[in-house]
Structure formats: C-alpha cells, structure tokens
Amino acid sequence: ILNVEQSPQSLHVQEGDSTNFTCSFPSSNFYALHWYRWETAKSPEALFVMTLNGDEKKKGRISATLNTKEGYSYLYIKGSQPEDSATYLCAFPHSGNTPLVFGKGTRLSVIA
Amino acid sequence: ETGVTQSPTHLIKTRGQQVTLRCSSQSGHNTVSWYQQALGQGPQFIFQYYREEENGRGNFPPRFSGLQFPNYSSELNVNALELDDSALYLCASSPSPSTRYEQYFGPGTRLTVT
C-alpha cells in the first residue's frame, strides 16, 4: 500500500511569519510529486509538479524542494499572509500511468 | 479559477437511490479523474477516463461508474447509495493521463446520503 504522509496536520502562524511543512513518500520508483493548495469553498489549485531529485520550484512567496532519495518534499511559505490560509495537499503516483495518491493535507491558518 | 465546473454543488439522497454527478473539463483536456474525499482524509482516486474509455480504477465497487463525452463533459454515477458514500466528490481534468501533468480540479459536489 502506497502511503503519502504530511506533517504537521495543522499549523497556526502569525501574519509575516515564514513556515514550512513536509510531505513524505516512498523513495523507490519515484516518478513525480504534486503540491496543491485548497482554499475553503474553492477548487484545489496546482502549485507545483516536481520530477527531479534536487528540484526547487518557486511561485511568488511559495517554494518547494524535493529529495527523492530520502523520500520527502518541503513546502515553504515566506512572510505568510491571511490569504495563504488553506489546506496544502501533496500527491504521489507510483508511475506515469498510476493514479495520484494524496496525503491528508496540512491545514494552515494565518492570523492577522 | 481552474476552468473546471461541477454540478450540482450539493445533493441529498436516500440510501438505495442512484445519483449522477457532472463535470465539465477544460477545453482540450482529454483526461478526467474522479476522487472521493471523506472527512479528514485526502482525496481518494475512484477512476480515470481518457478519450472516453476507462483508464484505471481505484478500490471502489462496480456500483461506481462513469462516462466521458466528446464535448469535455463527464459523469460519475453511483447506484444503490450507502451511508458511507456521503462525501465530497471532485473531478479533475488534465491534458494527458501522464502524472507529470498537473490536474485541474473542480470545486466538488457534496453528497449526503441519509
């Protein structure tokens, strides 16, 4: 059974704080890792698809790193804002043609 | 916004009934995946359609079935509803079945079975 673990489960930070959270996945047969942001009452929105060990991707104040050998990815948010409040999901497929397996998400609340 | 829409937004059904949920994908996306999200869990894969054919199925019974149409719309049908089918159902479209492409999600349909 393929397990994708995310930690912490939830996080409360003050506006302006930087924060990070983790996605762990099986390190064998890596193909890709997805990060999504899901705001309440909206559609999950793709942030990054990462495919190479050592990948670093950035979108505004959000960045992600990938370590396929040890099986983890970090998502960083610099200078958190209230609009960053959302659930952040990672998802991992066994291969190019197998479905995405999602973690349970990290729920971030940014307090103004 | 992702350009993917779902209908209805909410639905209440009785155990044993049948339900059809609808999804409209982004234009040009030939792949649609359906997920079930139970409370406190991540989305769980139900099945995927690629060019109107089923292209993979998760651990769901045959009473969960789907259709994909040439006009980028698709359906999820659930027969003989059970209480445990109460969940948020998400569809996601992509330009390819390859998981190196990001998926574009709809906002979901909240199904309650009583």
Side-chain angles (χ1 to χ4, degrees), chain B residues 4 12 18 32 40 44-45 60 75-77 110-111 113:
Chain B
V4 178
I12 300 174
Q18 178 266 342
V32 64
Q44 197 172 1
F45 176 75
F60 281 81
E75 291 179 356
L76 164 65
N77 298 288
R110 172 76 60 188
L111 173 65
V113 182

Side-chain angles (χ1 to χ4, degrees), chain B residues 48-71:
Chain B
Q48 182 184 83
Y49 277 78
Y50 170 57
R51 292 183 174 173
E52 300 159 46
E53 298 285 332
E54 188 176 290
N55 185 47
R57 188 177 186 91
N59 190 25
F60 281 81
R63 59 190 185 82
F64 285 77
S65 63
L67 286 170
Q68 185 187 26
F69 303 102
N71 65 351

Side-chain angles (χ1 to χ4, degrees), chain A residues 36-38 42-47, chain B residues 1-6 23-27 29 90-94 102-108:
Chain A
Y36 291 86
R37 173 171 61 196
W38 194 358
K42 293 190 176 179
S43 307
E45 172 199 357
L47 288 172
Chain B
E1 294 300 321
T2 62
V4 178
T5 59
Q6 291 186 244
C23 172
S24 181
S25 300
Q26 273 203 19
S27 180
H29 283 190
L90 294 162
C91 71
S93 73
S94 57
E102 62 192 35
Q103 297 193 358
Y104 294 76
F105 282 85

